[in-house]
Amino acid sequence: IRTANLPCENSDDLEEDIWGVAGLVLGLASSVGAIYRAGAHDAVLKIKGLILSWIPHVNSLVQNYGSCSEGAEILMSVGSCLALPIVVTFCQRVELMDDNELDHLLNGYMELISELVSVKKSGSFHQSLLMASCIGAGSLLACILNEGVHSIEAECVKGLLELFRK
């Protein structure tokens, strides 16, 4: 089961829970090292895939994120934006990711941030996802550059900094 069925009666509860759920997703991401050391390499790949699946498709998220059916997806997406760099850092170290995937992930964050910035909404879901995606993009950039095994074009970094400024 990828997401829980959350009741639609009170969307205020969802807004209060957004950072609690984000913490759970961060905890899941933080466990990949221990899971890998236990020999469950496939489980690490499944966790990576699961966290990636919770980061929304840009267009569908921005258009629909206020609906009840999207509530669970949004709760998971905020945590996933924050947690993905943790998983990427680990997967890079144990060579479970390639350079093309790193470029794809960085571009995905940039598209998500760009779309969120272009939609002028001020709800807590929107603000939380925008904040989490900016933090996640910066953390992903840092983990790629700190590992030093993949180069990033200066124009990409400049574009990301410009998005942060907006």
Side-chain angles (χ1 to χ4, degrees):
I1 299 173
R2 293 195 179 257
T3 57
N5 292 326
L6 298 175
C8 295
E9 295 100 30
N10 194 349
S11 64
D12 291 338
D13 289 343
L14 292 178
E15 290 181 24
E16 291 174 10
D17 291 342
I18 196 162
W19 292 106
V21 173
L24 293 172
V25 176
L26 280 166
L28 177 63
S30 296
S31 70
V32 295
I35 292 169
Y36 186 86
R37 284 189 303 276
H41 302 184
D42 289 342
V44 171
L45 293 174
K46 286 180 182 179
I47 290 170
K48 180 181 87 169
L50 187 61
I51 289 175
L52 281 170
S53 76
W54 289 329
I55 297 178
H57 296 285
V58 176
N59 293 329
S60 65
L61 171 80
V62 173
Q63 292 168 3
N64 300 321
Y65 78 83
S67 71
C68 177
S69 64
E70 295 292 320
E73 297 291 328
I74 290 170
L75 289 176
M76 302 303 245
S77 66
V78 168
S80 294
C81 284
L82 296 170
L84 185 61
I86 296 168
V87 175
V88 168
T89 298
F90 179 79
C91 287
Q92 257 189 303
R93 285 186 187 141
V94 296
E95 299 179 357
L96 292 176
M97 292 190 85
D98 63 19
D99 291 348
N100 291 333
E101 193 171 3
L102 294 172
D103 290 334
H104 177 74
L105 294 175
L106 197 54
N107 288 332
Y109 271 114
M110 290 177 68
E111 289 175 15
L112 178 59
I113 294 166
S114 181
E115 190 72 23
L116 289 168
V117 167
S118 71
V119 175
K120 303 291 184 198
K121 293 194 178 186
S122 61
S124 64
F125 282 141
H126 186 273
Q127 293 300 320
S128 294
L129 185 55
L130 180 58
M131 182 176 18
S133 59
C134 288
I135 293 167
S139 296
L140 180 64
L141 180 64
C143 90
I144 292 170
L145 295 175
N146 285 336
E147 291 296 317
V149 295
H150 180 65
S151 62
I152 297 176
E153 292 186 23
E155 290 303 316
C156 181
V157 175
K158 287 178 185 177
L160 190 57
L161 291 173
E162 186 63 34
L163 280 174
F164 289 163
R165 190 172 309 149
K166 290 179 185 177

